């Protein structure tokens, strides 16, 4: 989350922040939530996965109803089977999303696989009445669309494409929206050592720098651009105080703490990569069969391998037969 004023409603433009948050959700403390609204592509993919799960359930329930009709149980007739089929169909189309959104934090199996979640328009958890409203509107005019299927499908797609938050008709009626639960994390390069600190970093004693502290350094260096001052500087000083207590010798004077942290982490990564390379070399020397070997060309029996390409080899004339009297006929 990041503290900033909400987007004015009059502009109607989506928030184009560096982190990709465009849902426009603001909590009660006037803090804008760093979430992205789900668009047409991800929601269609989640719908297709849910439809596949529902088709599997339909096949299983149809097999169960067929078993009841074949066994000819007392009191089971065609009317009862038709009533059961109708109830089961309503449960699949309406109860399926309602139950999953109620007991799985607004996520059906399809939304869970894609990384989506249904929330209220204010960012809170979705309620039962909201889920029921979404499901009823979806069955009636969206999917499968019992009222004018083709026209309702076109209207639903048009609404999703034009809405700032990518909401469909069911979301507009129920006061909900679908957001991404997986945030975008850009890939950042590994920290580098500036040239003035190279000599100091090579002489560092890092034996007492454990993995949790190294992980804290990496997390800070990869996320420092998202912190605001003075929190960024205070956190760097706190981390450097922990690193300085377990490393020697002391650093040069008047060097900012983020540069020192980057130098320590980069030197630790360099030494780790060197140890790994040495271990692989030792393993290859002790167990050659465990290391892949380059393919060698086949050598004919009684011959030697020739690494010269065929196009660069000199032409060798064929040997002439030795002169002498012809052999007598057999």
């Amino acid at each position: 989350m990041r503290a900033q004023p909400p987007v004015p409603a009059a502009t109607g433009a989506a928030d184009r922040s560096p982190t990709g948050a465009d849902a426009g959700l603001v909590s009660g403390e006037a803090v804008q939530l760093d979430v992205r609204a789900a668009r047409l592509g991800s929601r269609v993919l989640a719908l297709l996965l849910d439809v596949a799960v529902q088709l599997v359930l339909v096949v299983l329930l149809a097999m169960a109803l067929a078993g009841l009709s074949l066994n000819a149980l007392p009191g089971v007739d065609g009317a009862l089977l038709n009533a059961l089929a109708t109830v089961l169909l309503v449960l699949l189309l309406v109860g399926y999303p309602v139950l999953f959104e109620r007991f799985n934090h607004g996520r059906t199996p399809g939304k869970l696989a894609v990384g989506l979640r249904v929330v209220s328009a204010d960012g809170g958890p979705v309620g039962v009445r909201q889920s029921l409203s979404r499901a009823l509107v979806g069955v009636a005019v969206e999917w499968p669309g019992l009222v004018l299927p083709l026209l309702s499908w076109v209207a639903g797609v048009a609404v999703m494409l034009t809405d700032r938050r990518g909401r469909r008709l069911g979301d507009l009626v129920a006061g909900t929206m679908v957001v991404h639960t997986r945030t975008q994390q850009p890939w950042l390069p590994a920290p580098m050592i500036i040239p003035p600190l190279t000599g100091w970093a090579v002489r560092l004693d890092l034996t007492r720098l454990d993995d949790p502290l190294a992980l804290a350094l990496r997390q800070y260096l990869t996320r420092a651009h998202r912190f605001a001052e003075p929190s960024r500087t205070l956190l760097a000083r706190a981390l450097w105080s922990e690193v300085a207590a377990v490393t020697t010798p002391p650093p040069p004077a008047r060097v900012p703490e983020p540069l020192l942290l980057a130098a320590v982490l980069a030197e630790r990564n360099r030494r780790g990569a060197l140890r790994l390379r040495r271990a692989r070399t030792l393993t290859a020397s002790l167990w050659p069969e465990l290391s892949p070997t380059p393919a060698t060309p086949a050598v004919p029996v009684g011959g030697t391998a020739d690494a010269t390409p065929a196009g660069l080899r000199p032409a060798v004339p064929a040997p002439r037969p030795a002169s002498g009297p012809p052999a007598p006929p057999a």
Side-chain angles (χ1 to χ4, degrees), residues 72-323:
L73 298 178
V76 177
D77 54 0
L80 180 58
L81 291 177
N82 292 335
L84 289 177
T86 303
V87 171
L88 294 177
L89 183 61
V90 172
L91 288 178
L92 282 177
L93 295 178
V94 179
Y96 174 88
V98 173
L99 292 177
F100 275 108
E101 291 175 5
R102 173 63 180 86
F103 296 103
N104 198 27
H105 306 288
R107 298 172 296 182
T108 60
K111 290 183 175 62
L112 181 62
V114 180
L116 305 180
R117 179 185 177 186
V118 181
V119 297
S120 298
D122 57 354
V126 63
V128 178
R129 289 181 294 180
Q130 291 176 317
S131 297
L132 183 60
S133 301
R134 294 181 75 256
L136 292 176
V137 174
V139 172
V141 298
E142 291 177 334
W143 176 259
L146 302 180
V147 180
L148 300 176
L150 294 178
L151 182 60
S152 61
W153 293 348
V154 173
V157 171
V159 169
M160 292 183 64
L161 292 177
T162 55
D163 187 77
R164 185 172 66 91
R165 298 180 177 180
R167 294 174 294 182
R168 61 179 178 88
L169 294 174
D171 293 322
L172 296 176
V173 172
T176 58
M177 64 177 300
V178 181
V179 297
H180 286 273
T181 58
R182 303 166 186 169
T183 58
Q184 291 180 335
Q185 295 293 339
W187 291 93
L188 298 179
M192 304 295 294
I193 303 178
I194 60 176
L197 297 179
T198 304
W200 168 75
V202 172
R203 295 182 289 108
L204 276 175
D205 180 11
L206 302 177
T207 55
R208 293 189 298 165
L209 183 63
D210 54 4
D211 293 339
L213 183 55
L215 179 60
L217 298 184
R218 177 175 293 276
Q219 290 178 343
Y220 169 78
L221 292 173
T222 55
R223 302 177 183 177
H225 64 283
R226 302 180 61 181
F227 299 149
E229 293 291 351
S231 300
R232 182 190 309 167
T233 303
L234 295 177
L235 184 56
R237 291 175 180 175
L239 288 174
W240 173 244
S241 64
E242 298 183 23
V243 174
V246 296
T247 57
T248 55
R254 298 180 180 179
V255 178
E257 287 81 3
L259 295 181
L260 297 176
L261 297 177
V264 171
L265 185 59
E267 178 62 20
R268 189 176 188 270
N269 293 341
R270 186 190 68 83
R271 297 180 185 181
L274 182 60
R275 287 194 300 267
L276 180 61
R277 191 181 304 113
R278 291 174 179 173
R280 289 178 176 176
T281 303
L282 180 60
T283 302
S285 61
L286 295 179
W287 296 283
E289 61 275 5
L290 297 181
S291 59
T293 55
T296 56
V299 179
V301 178
T304 58
D306 188 4
T308 307
L312 301 180
R313 295 175 186 170
V316 179
R320 296 181 180 179
S323 60

Side-chain angles (χ1 to χ4, degrees), residues 52-80:
V53 176
Q54 289 175 326
L55 289 178
V56 173
L57 295 177
V58 166
V59 172
L60 295 178
L61 294 176
M63 294 173 60
L65 292 178
L68 289 178
S69 62
L70 292 177
N71 292 332
L73 298 178
V76 177
D77 54 0
L80 180 58

